């Protein structure tokens, strides 16, 4: 049998490194990366997070040098999580102007004024029960929590924050924070909404790192169910209407379809959160010699871009920035 005469040969576009570079449709740059930092009020020296090799809880005193190293690597933004020494039923440390995140924001801005400083805004690290707001019985009271989110946002703003990132999945959180910021003269501060956040097993290592595991129950009454797709688009569009400046999808790896959906449903810059469990899996496999860490990380991060992400919050950011320089 004669071979068929092929006129169309996709392999022509893969023949040489130069051609492959010319036809590459998506790319990852250091500008896409946001590095998370855990600042712990109760320590004097950095403490490794066991389930996240390479990640540390750092003391306030180390914020400046960490932010300098991140800037040195070319990464444009950090996102802070605070671990306070004092917790109570409402999480009042979250709106203390001398709280750990507020101090970290000031230290970061002082060390590197050009760094874009983001702070996660929630209460699970601040409440003694580990839920993301004020309780009414066993449930998180949405509207009471909004009142506290407003106070937290304004306190971060006074400390010099660039972007506030509410992560508690409370209804109306974007509108509430926007109004509170505008009322207090902070109309220039942007909001990055954790618009689409699924209740996820992938948050496990983070909860060790941030000491934010709920003491009873789970987050299913406020975070989304993993089978839902239309609801994700609805959440995203609601936050656009409420005045969000950025949207986020979280976790990332198991929700690539949702990243694409949200990208197509709105015109806002879209961030994805490559969460702690995703990081831990890669680190564990790499540690065992089962995968090539650099290759897998870069493939994953590029995958987020291809899916429609504009920004990636990732614990791999410092490594990725280094690898981008070498490549
Ligand atoms: C707080 C918050 C969580 C994460 C970011 N902000 C945990 C949670 O909702 O339980 C998870 C980040 C990660 O897993 O890396 N609401
Ligand atoms: Zn929370």
């Amino acid at each position: 049998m004669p071979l068929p005469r092929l006129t169309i040969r996709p392999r022509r576009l893969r023949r040489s490194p130069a051609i492959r570079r010319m036809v590459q449709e998506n790319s990852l740059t250091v500008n896409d990366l946001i590095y998370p930092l855990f600042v712990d009020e109760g320590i004097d020296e950095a403490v490794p997070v066991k389930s996240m090799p390479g990640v540390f809880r750092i003391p306030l005193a180390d914020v400046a040098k960490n932010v300098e190293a991140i800037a040195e690597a070319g990464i444009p933004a950090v996102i802070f999580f605070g671990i306070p020494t004092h917790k109570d039923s409402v999480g009042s440390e979250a709106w203390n102007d001398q709280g750990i995140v507020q101090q970290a924001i000031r230290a970061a801005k002082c060390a590197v004024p050009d760094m874009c400083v983001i702070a996660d805004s929630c209460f699970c690290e601040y409440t003694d029960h580990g839920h993301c707001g004020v309780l009414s019985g066993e449930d998180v009271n949405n509207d009471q929590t909004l009142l506290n989110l407003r106070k937290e946002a304004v306190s971060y703003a006074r400390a010099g924050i660039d972007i506030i990132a509410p992560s508690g999945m409370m209804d109306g959180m974007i509108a509430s924070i926007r109004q509170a910021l505008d009322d207090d003269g902070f109309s220039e501060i942007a909001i990055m909404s954790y618009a689409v956040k699924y209740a996820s097993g992938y948050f496990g290592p983070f909860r060790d790192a941030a000491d934010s595991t709920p003491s009873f129950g789970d987050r299913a009454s406020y975070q989304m169910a993993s089978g839902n797709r239309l609801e994700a688009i609805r959440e995203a569009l609601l936050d656009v209407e409420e005045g969000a400046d950025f949207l986020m999808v979280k976790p990332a790896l198991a929700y690539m379809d949702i990243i694409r959906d949200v990208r197509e449903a709105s015109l806002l810059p879209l961030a994805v959160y490559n969460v702690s469990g995703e990081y831990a899996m890669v680190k564990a496999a790499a540690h065992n010699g089962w995968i090539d860490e650099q290759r897998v990380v870069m493939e994953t991060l590029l995958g987020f871009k291809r899916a429609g992400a504009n920004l990636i919050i990732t614990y791999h950011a410092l490594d990725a920035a280094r690898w981008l320089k070498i490549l």
Side-chain angles (χ1 to χ4, degrees):
M1 261 241 301
L3 286 171
R5 194 156 49 84
L6 287 179
T7 51
I8 298 171
R9 293 179 181 270
R11 287 185 56 191
R12 288 183 196 123
L13 301 187
R14 300 180 202 132
R15 270 185 69 220
S16 70
I19 294 180
R20 290 197 291 272
R21 272 167 56 204
M22 290 159 69
V23 300
Q24 175 159 337
E25 298 173 41
N26 293 282
S27 53
L28 178 74
T29 82
V30 74
N31 301 326
D32 306 326
L33 303 173
I34 300 173
Y35 193 66
L37 285 174
F38 298 99
V39 191
D40 187 337
E41 196 174 17
I43 56 175
D44 299 317
E45 265 174 44
V47 177
V49 178
K50 242 200 256 134
S51 50
M52 300 173 72
V55 174
F56 297 80
R57 292 182 182 202
I58 60 167
L60 182 62
D62 286 2
V63 166
K65 78 172 184 212
N66 273 269
V67 170
E68 280 160 11
I70 293 160
E72 191 65 31
I75 296 168
V78 294
I79 180 166
F80 281 122
F81 297 90
I83 303 139
T85 48
H86 170 75
K87 302 191 187 217
D88 59 25
S89 65
V90 296
S92 62
E93 266 299 296
W95 60 87
N96 175 356
D97 282 347
Q98 300 310 320
I100 184 65
V101 166
Q102 287 82 349
Q103 296 191 65
I105 294 166
R106 286 191 287 264
K109 276 298 188 185
C110 178
V112 185
D114 289 344
M115 177 64 67
C116 174
V117 177
I118 309 172
D120 181 271
S121 139
C122 198
F123 298 104
C124 44
E125 300 97 344
Y126 295 88
T127 53
D128 48 19
H129 45 73
H131 277 285
C132 299
V134 181
L135 294 180
S136 288
E138 301 239 306
D139 197 29
V140 173
N141 183 310
N142 194 87
D143 298 12
Q144 287 294 320
T145 302
L146 291 183
L147 295 176
N148 292 343
L149 271 173
R150 297 167 63 108
K151 292 188 264 184
E152 185 184 30
V154 169
S155 178
Y156 287 173
R158 279 196 290 262
I161 198 76
D162 293 297
I163 302 176
I164 294 182
S167 67
M169 289 296 282
M170 294 299 122
D171 292 337
M173 65 183 184
I174 303 307
S176 289
I177 290 173
R178 184 71 273 156
Q179 192 190 41
L181 290 172
D182 292 354
D183 287 352
D184 276 56
F186 295 112
S187 58
E188 75 285 5
I189 291 173
I191 302 174
M192 178 182 284
S193 178
Y194 285 72
V196 181
K197 182 175 179 183
Y198 288 93
S200 173
Y202 284 101
F203 302 156
F206 173 94
R207 291 182 188 170
D208 296 337
D211 190 22
S212 63
T213 308
S215 61
F216 64 89
D218 56 34
R219 304 209 203 287
S221 79
Y222 40 105
Q223 298 180 349
M224 280 181 48
S226 60
N228 292 359
R229 182 173 175 201
L230 296 175
E231 190 184 347
I233 299 172
R234 186 165 177 242
E235 283 281 6
L237 293 179
L238 255 176
D239 287 355
V240 172
E241 251 173 69
E242 290 183 28
D245 301 284
F246 300 81
L247 297 175
M248 195 195 302
V249 171
K250 175 186 174 189
L253 213 39
Y255 299 90
M256 290 289 218
D257 56 329
I258 306 298
I259 297 170
R260 171 53 50 193
D261 285 339
V262 173
R263 172 65 290 148
E264 288 178 2
S266 103
L267 298 173
L268 296 184
L270 175 62
V272 298
Y273 201 138
N274 176 213
V275 300
S276 58
E278 299 169 15
Y279 177 85
M281 292 193 303
V282 169
K283 283 294 191 179
H287 176 78
N288 279 296
W290 295 338
I291 57 169
D292 174 337
E293 181 177 358
Q294 176 176 347
R295 201 172 160 186
V296 167
V297 168
M298 296 311 255
E299 183 178 338
T300 303
L301 299 181
L302 182 57
F304 298 146
K305 293 289 304 287
R306 190 195 63 245
N310 308 105
L311 294 163
I312 306 166
I313 303 175
T314 179
Y315 306 98
H316 297 292
L318 273 173
D319 286 333
R322 191 161 39 82
W323 292 328
L324 282 167
K325 276 186 193 158
I326 301 165
L327 289 177

